[in-house]
Amino acid sequence: MRILALVPGGTGEQLLFFPTLDTLKQQYPNAEIDVVVEPRAMASYRVCLSVNRVLKFDFNDRNSLADFGNLLGTIRDREYDAAILTQPRQSLKILLWLSGIPLRVSFGNQNNFLLTESIEFDPQEYAAVANHSLLAPFQILKPCPPIKVNLPKGDLDWAASEQKRLGLPKSGFILLNCGALANYPADSWAEIATDIQAKLPDLSIVAIDSVNNAELLEKLAARVPNLLIASPTDVGKLAALIATANLFICAEGDAMQFGVAVGTALVAILSAATSAKVFLPIAEKRVKYVQAIAGQSLKDIPPQTVLAKIWES
């Protein structure tokens, strides 16, 4: 059997689809499972063992008929038996209909002739569980498993060497993913970090050096004594670093889903527009979050609110 999944979105959206891919692979161990994802999300599959091929297509670009034609040709050449579409965009449903794939599954009502099977979408459901419901037409009714990632040995070795380079003690460390300066202010991060240092002096504070946060880290380092900086160069190393932390504190974004996937205790800082129950498994005790109230931005969340959640028993 050959199965194709079209998964628009970034790295976070891919991780929220991993349980569906893992269940498919468990149910059909000999199946060839391919995914079509945006260029920005292709690296996600470095830590997924359930996929055979990762195909690139920029769903959000202003694609021409030729672009869709090229993708259609690739899909037809592979002669897939089934296709799953996580976002039921009309253009993609037409694409799958033209492909002639026998089983075409997505969210929507039952009256859409472009699909062979439509699943009702609950916008308030945890996204991983909602995605997993797309497996019903495959006669798979198992509960959705947690998000898991495969950590290559090379990435685990890098995380170990990075801890050694930073001189981290055996007692462990707390990892911060601060995001860009526009998301959550350096002063707020500094207050969080210094409070942790005062209460847990045996634990080091490590901040992740990522895209567009150089200015924030510079300000943070000036405020937080002995702050350490780690620089993972790909998603595998990022996931391995998060997995070795005692606690991961992060602003909303892709890294948050890696925190969910590796099982590290997590405190997420969410904007008012981000639904915690859609993007986080809030039933898990290790997963905590704070959220801006309606009308406020993420940066308006007081650091004292974050600290209260960290120290909450």
Side-chain angles (χ1 to χ4, degrees), residues 97-248:
W97 177 66
L98 291 172
S99 73
I101 296 174
L103 177 60
R104 305 182 300 277
V105 183
S106 190
F107 295 111
N109 58 55
Q110 295 294 329
N111 298 321
N112 195 319
F113 73 93
L114 298 172
L115 302 171
T116 59
E117 298 286 346
S118 297
I119 304 298
E120 184 178 355
F121 178 66
D122 180 357
Q124 300 302 314
E125 191 170 37
Y126 179 39
V129 173
N131 288 333
H132 202 262
S133 70
L134 293 170
L135 296 181
F138 294 82
Q139 306 305 311
I140 299 175
L141 302 176
K142 299 177 181 178
C144 177
I147 301 174
K148 297 290 184 183
V149 293
N150 172 66
L151 298 178
K153 183 179 183 302
D155 294 332
L156 291 170
D157 290 344
W158 175 87
S161 65
E162 186 73 351
Q163 291 177 69
K164 185 176 181 180
R165 180 186 72 82
L166 294 172
L168 294 176
K170 291 184 178 180
S171 55
F173 67 100
I174 292 176
L175 187 63
L176 310 180
N177 188 64
C178 304
L181 189 61
N183 293 339
Y184 197 59
D187 287 345
S188 296
W189 280 113
E191 187 169 337
I192 292 168
T194 52
D195 187 83
I196 293 172
Q197 285 180 329
K199 289 184 170 66
L200 298 172
D202 293 333
L203 290 181
S204 296
I205 306 291
V206 179
I208 296 172
D209 181 12
S210 59
V211 178
N212 298 325
N213 75 342
E215 184 181 356
L216 186 150
L217 289 183
E218 183 179 351
K219 291 185 176 183
L220 189 59
R223 291 278 311 274
V224 181
N226 303 315
L227 178 72
L228 302 172
I229 308 294
S231 303
T233 54
D234 57 56
V235 297
K237 293 178 178 61
L238 173 62
L241 185 65
I242 296 171
T244 55
N246 297 54
L247 172 66
F248 182 43

Side-chain angles (χ1 to χ4, degrees), residues 54-70:
V54 182
L55 307 175
K56 179 173 64 175
F57 187 78
D58 195 341
F59 296 103
N60 290 322
D61 197 6
R62 299 180 65 179
N63 295 295
S64 66
L65 287 176
D67 295 324
F68 281 105
N70 290 335

Side-chain angles (χ1 to χ4, degrees), residues 6-21 37-38 40-41 44-45 60 86-87 89 127-128 131 147 253-255 257-258 278-279:
L6 290 83
V7 192
T11 297
E13 284 77 14
Q14 307 310 313
L15 267 69
L16 287 163
F17 193 64
F18 278 14
T20 302
L21 293 169
V37 303
E38 296 171 30
R40 62 187 172 124
S44 312
Y45 290 88
N60 290 322
T86 60
Q87 295 182 18
R89 304 179 188 181
N131 288 333
I147 301 174
D254 293 338
Q257 297 301 339
F258 282 112
V278 170
F279 291 103

